[in-house]
Amino acid sequence: MTHAVVTGASRGLGLVVSIELARRGWTVFAGARRPADLHPRLAELREQEGESFDIRPVALDVTSDASVRAAVQTIADQTGHIDVVVNNAGVPGTWAAPEDVGPDDFAAVLETNVLGPVRASRAFLPLLRESAQPRLVFVSSGMGSFASQTTDPAFREIAHVPYPASKAALNMIAVQYAKALPDIIVTAVDPGLTATEFTAGSGHSVDEGAAPILAAALNVEGPSGRFLNGAGPAGW
Ligand SMILES: NC(=O)c1ccc[n+]([C@@H]2O[C@H](COP(=O)([O-])OP(=O)(O)OC[C@H]3O[C@@H](n4cnc5c(N)ncnc54)[C@H](OP(=O)(O)O)[C@@H]3O)[C@@H](O)[C@H]2O)c1
């Protein structure tokens, strides 16, 4: 049985990724700050998909050591291994001109988008190491790619600091984790502009955004240390 943890699974990309993995017969631990909010949707899904459809909501706030520790314990009480951790939880942070963005604005977005995945990945390492094919997925962004930000005309007019900085840091964390953890397939993913609450509905469908995240979660052959988007491997 394949087991995954998805953070930020209450809605948007995290929810769709959780549903798609469960449709493949996986057990998915859906991390959410308010897991009870997921219960009605999951009851509906179980009705549609059948009793074997297995998404289990777990309280998980990636900014809290205590919450992450408790989530690991809750999950460890139910399984001896995790095959995939999808670090998906993220916030856009403050979008404003540099003169209106200070350290507190950076701290808020870095806490969730950078320290959150570090906190969760580290806490789940012992369970990941019990998997025969462990994978760590970091949901990043083209906004965090130096290649896209410096060459892609689509980004020429978009100048924003904290969020891209957080995802650039996340990309480097993925690169270094891939080197430091050769037993784990590590992938950073750019879902592309996707119509969720995050973008107030702009962008392609959530299914399209989820596709490269699913590809990373399903990839058991490697190589490790790649940045993927909907078209395949992308420049960092
Ligand atoms: N949408 C896009 O165009 C786009 C493009 C590139 C990358 N991304 C990345 O994709 C990921 C998912 O984004 P989305 O578009 O699905 O956004 P979304 O609909 O706003 O969902 C964000 C999710 O993150 C959760 N979250 C926020 N802070 C959290 C915390 N401290 N602990 C645990 N969960 C937390 C939210 O939970 P609550 O319900 O508790 O708030 C929600 O489930 C993010 O990392 C984002 O940066 C999105």
Side-chain angles (χ1 to χ4, degrees):
M1 177 64 76
T2 310
H3 294 167
V5 176
V6 180
T7 70
S10 64
R11 56 189 156 88
L13 288 160
L15 179 58
V16 168
V17 166
S18 300
I19 291 169
E20 288 304 321
L21 294 177
R23 282 187 174 139
R24 286 164 171 79
W26 293 25
T27 295
V28 180
F29 296 95
R33 289 189 284 193
R34 291 172 301 280
D37 292 358
L38 272 168
H39 291 161
R41 178 81 178 105
L42 293 183
E44 249 173 55
L45 279 161
R46 199 158 297 125
E47 194 127 305
Q48 286 163 21
E49 306 281 339
E51 277 307 307
S52 61
F53 184 81
D54 193 8
I55 294 185
R56 305 180 191 182
V58 177
L60 201 170
D61 179 340
V62 299
T63 65
S64 159
D65 283 333
S67 171
V68 171
R69 255 199 315 273
V72 172
Q73 190 55 56
T74 301
I75 292 169
D77 290 344
Q78 299 173 62
T79 175
H81 74 278
I82 289 293
D83 302 289
V84 182
V85 174
V86 180
N87 287 288
N88 165 78
V91 292
T94 309
W95 289 69
E99 55 269 40
D100 296 322
V101 179
D104 289 348
D105 300 297
F106 276 87
V109 73
L110 295 175
E111 182 63 52
T112 303
N113 295 2
V114 180
L115 304 187
V118 167
R119 185 178 283 114
S121 301
R122 180 186 188 199
F124 282 108
L125 272 181
L127 282 173
L128 270 176
R129 289 215 160 100
E130 296 300 322
S131 164
Q133 295 173 315
R135 284 93 83 192
L136 259 178
V137 179
F138 294 100
V139 181
S140 180
S141 168
M143 299 289 291
S145 155
F146 283 94
S148 297
Q149 292 301 306
T150 55
T151 61
D152 186 341
F155 290 116
R156 192 167 294 142
E157 303 301 325
I158 304 173
H160 170 58
V161 192
Y163 178 77
S166 73
K167 294 298 189 179
L170 188 60
N171 281 0
M172 184 55 77
I173 287 165
V175 167
Q176 300 303 329
Y177 274 35
K179 292 190 283 182
L181 303 169
D183 50 332
I184 297 178
I185 297 174
V186 179
T187 311
V189 180
D190 168 22
L193 187 69
T194 304
T196 63
E197 279 187 33
F198 204 89
T199 61
S202 298
H204 54 207
S205 72
V206 184
D207 284 340
E208 280 177 89
I213 305 174
L214 287 168
L218 295 166
N219 173 23
V220 293
E221 290 179 355
S224 188
R226 288 188 304 168
F227 187 36
L228 292 186
N229 63 23
W236 292 103

